[in-house]
Amino acid sequence: QVQLVESGGGSIQAGGSLRLSCAASGYAYLTYCMGWFRQAPEKERERVATIYTAGLSTYYADSVKGRFTISRDNAKNTVYLQMNSLKPEDTATYYCAAGPLARGCEYNYWGQGTQVTVSS
């Protein structure tokens, strides 16, 4: 049974930091890309960051470059999103997702989401 379990969300003031975690199980984690997405009310889902299998290559949305860092601990089957200098516009539900590298990281497993609320 595939599981992606996010944690670490919460409410914080602008300028603060949070670290999201996503614990993965039930699939071949090491062969999967891991990504973080977010969705705010009445907005489309946005891909925030991706980390590829060995953790050497990453992608960031322009809106978070220089503030967010994605990393993965392959020994723990866990991916992280360190979020610094948070802004009110970062407020959203954040989702962890996994997709096989062999299929171009097409995300087919999703977590339940964790809420991040940034107040000004």
Side-chain angles (χ1 to χ4, degrees), residues 8-103:
S11 298
I12 196 165
Q13 288 193 327
S17 297
L18 285 173
R19 188 176 81 154
L20 305 183
S21 299
C22 173
S25 61
Y27 68 97
Y29 173 83
L30 294 179
T31 65
Y32 276 62
C33 309
M34 299 297 297
W36 286 98
F37 291 74
R38 68 185 180 186
Q39 188 164 21
E42 301 182 343
K43 291 190 176 181
E44 292 189 357
R45 185 174 61 195
E46 174 188 20
R47 182 164 63 120
V48 174
T50 295
I51 188 164
Y52 296 90
T53 52
L56 300 178
S57 297
T58 57
Y59 158 88
Y60 295 97
D62 287 344
S63 56
V64 306
K65 276 182 184 175
R67 300 188 298 122
F68 289 12
T69 302
I70 189 170
S71 61
R72 63 192 292 167
D73 185 336
N74 286 346
K76 296 182 178 179
N77 284 15
T78 300
V79 63
Y80 305 96
L81 186 68
Q82 178 67 42
M83 306 186 294
N84 298 329
S85 303
L86 282 161
K87 304 175 181 180
E89 51 263 44
D90 294 319
T91 295
T93 301
Y94 284 72
Y95 298 91
C96 172
L101 180 64
R103 295 186 179 181

